[in-house]
Amino acid sequence: MKIHKGDNIMMLNGPDKGKTGKVLKVTPADNTVLIEGLNMVKRHVRGRKQGQKGQVISKERFIDTSRVAVVCKSCGKPTRIGFSVTGEHKVRICRKCKSEVA
Ligand SMILES: [Zn+2]
């Protein structure tokens, strides 16, 4: 996975285009990520007991990784991620400024 938990990302399309948020979860099997406060869906929840009010709950929905870009901490731009191998370690690098993405 090029995107890790805790990364700062930017939405590339959709209603949240251009917005940034933190990655809460990644699902490598599906290639999807969950971003804090982005791609929200509203759910109407009915009151379970009598007299209890129904509620509208907003919840994040998983997004395909192709719709987001990692924001580089060094240059502050949304970028594509490359890999660089130094010794035994494989590190992620920003394709724009070539610095390591932690
Ligand atoms: Zn950069």
Side-chain angles (χ1 to χ4, degrees), residues 66-83:
S66 64
R67 293 182 56 203
V68 302
V70 174
V71 177
C72 170
K73 278 176 196 146
S74 302
C75 62
K77 288 172 188 155
T79 182
R80 284 192 300 135
I81 296 290
F83 287 104

